[in-house]
């Protein structure tokens, strides 16, 4: 069909920049650390099966151990109790993983305050400057936290108070975006879609609470958000299809057509 050929041509156009938004998985991949009595996920492990040797003279291959919520990953609605009866990662429709991107840059504010919380007013100011949020868009939050990804201790940023500190959304902003806009989901460059201090909010972890309640996905540890413009990119998220899974590591990338 002509329309399909046109879409393929656009994807393959030399003028289209493809930006990888995925961190590679490795033994140094940061994993979220949960307070007891909750159980924290294990680290990523890669185990060699053979490498052109007696175990398999023609092939190099491995197996790996990984948490669902490891590295750049997509959370399905079923991940949170408010979405417990909704999609798992294997049943999330593909058209809810692909969409235009809006990128709110709060990196300057987060550099001065690791607990910076994005407000509804911040988003409304963005809309006033850049126009309405497109229908079924990924709402991406560039906090500048990606610069710390290679240093897990800094990325997780546990303070002297024993609590993690990284930016996120206010309760009001999370509720409004999830319930009153048509965004596909929330993507962040931090290890989770909620602020590090959000366990003390009411409700706790409001981005998880409201987005998953609304049947929307989350993306965490998204790389290279500073390379995306405020609008104009298209984001494609491709999580591993784990039957019954609450989340999965994903290859996430953005298409940025030439001006």
């Amino acid at each position: 069909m002509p329309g399909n050929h046109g879409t393929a041509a656009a994807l393959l156009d030399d003028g289209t920049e493809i930006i990888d938004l995925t961190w590679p998985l490795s033994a140094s991949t940061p994993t979220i650390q949960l307070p007891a009595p909750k159980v924290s996920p294990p680290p990523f492990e890669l185990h060699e099966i053979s490498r052109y040797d007696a175990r398999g003279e023609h092939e190099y291959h491995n197996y790996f151990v990984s948490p669902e919520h490891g590295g750049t990953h997509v959370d399905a609605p079923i991940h949170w109790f408010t979405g417990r009866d909704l999609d798992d990662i294997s049943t999330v429709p593909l058209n809810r993983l692909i969409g235009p991107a809006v990128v709110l840059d709060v990196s300057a504010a987060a550099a001065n305050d690791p607990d910076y919380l994005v407000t509804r007013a911040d988003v409304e100011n963005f809309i006033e400057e850049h126009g309405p949020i497109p229908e079924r868009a990924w709402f991406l939050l560039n906090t500048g936290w990606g610069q710390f990804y290679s240093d897990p201790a800094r990325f997780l940023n546990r303070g002297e108070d024993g609590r993690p500190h990284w930016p996120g959304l206010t309760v009001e902003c999370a509720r409004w975006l999830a319930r009153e806009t048509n965004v596909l989901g929330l993507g962040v460059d931090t290890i989770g879609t909620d602020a590090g201090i959000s366990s003390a909010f009411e409700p706790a972890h409001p981005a998880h609470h409201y987005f998953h309640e609304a049947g929307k996905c989350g993306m965490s540890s998204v790389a290279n958000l500073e390379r995306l413009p405020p609008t104009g990119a298209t984001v494609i998220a491709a999580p591993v299809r784990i039957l019954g899974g609450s989340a999965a590591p994903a290859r996430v990338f953005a298409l940025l057509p030439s001006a």
Side-chain angles (χ1 to χ4, degrees):
M1 295 174 61
N4 291 338
H5 289 302
T7 300
L11 290 173
L12 298 174
D13 188 335
D14 288 341
T16 300
E17 184 178 5
I18 304 176
I19 299 175
D20 200 340
L21 304 180
T22 313
W23 293 108
L25 287 166
S26 73
S28 62
T29 294
T31 54
I32 192 118
Q33 299 301 299
L34 303 174
K38 294 186 176 185
V39 178
S40 297
F44 178 88
E45 297 177 358
L46 187 67
H47 297 273
E48 187 175 280
I49 297 173
S50 70
R51 195 178 183 108
Y52 326 119
D53 54 24
R55 299 170 298 172
E57 67 274 22
H58 299 120
E59 61 269 8
Y60 166 53
H61 63 155
N62 309 287
Y63 73 91
F64 62 85
V65 176
S66 177
E68 295 175 319
H69 301 261
T72 305
H73 65 277
V74 175
D75 295 342
I78 201 175
H79 169 48
W80 212 247
F81 74 99
T82 52
R84 67 195 312 161
D85 297 320
L86 303 178
D87 285 300
D88 66 47
I89 200 64
S90 74
T91 61
V92 173
L94 295 179
N95 64 3
R96 282 166 44 198
L97 297 170
I98 303 169
V102 294
V103 185
L104 177 59
D105 184 352
V106 296
S107 56
N112 293 320
D113 179 7
D115 294 321
Y116 184 77
L117 299 177
V118 175
T119 65
R120 177 172 174 171
D122 288 331
V123 181
E124 290 174 334
N125 289 338
F126 176 94
I127 292 170
E128 184 175 349
E129 181 177 357
H130 299 287
I133 297 175
E135 289 292 297
R136 300 178 63 80
W138 277 108
F139 185 83
L140 305 179
L141 193 59
N142 173 26
T143 71
W145 223 249
Q147 66 183 305
F148 306 128
Y149 188 83
S150 61
D151 181 351
R154 180 67 181 86
F155 191 66
L156 298 174
N157 202 35
R158 189 168 298 278
E160 293 181 0
D161 59 359
R163 302 168 68 192
H165 296 270
W166 61 76
L169 304 178
T170 65
V171 172
E172 180 199 21
C173 187
R175 182 171 54 238
W176 172 64
L177 282 171
R179 289 182 171 179
E180 300 183 40
T181 77
N182 199 28
V183 297
L184 285 177
L186 171 67
V188 298
D189 53 2
T190 54
I191 200 164
T193 52
D194 274 292
I197 60 173
S198 62
S199 61
F201 295 177
E202 182 55 48
H205 312 300
H208 283 77
H209 187 103
Y210 291 116
F211 275 84
H212 296 322
E213 174 190 69
K216 299 178 178 183
C217 292
M219 286 194 297
S220 301
S221 296
V222 182
N224 297 319
L225 288 181
E226 70 282 356
R227 295 182 57 190
L228 298 186
T231 62
T234 297
V235 165
I236 299 173
V240 176
R241 198 176 185 195
I242 303 171
L243 186 64
S246 72
R251 193 67 182 263
V252 183
F253 56 98
L255 305 178
L256 188 59
S258 57

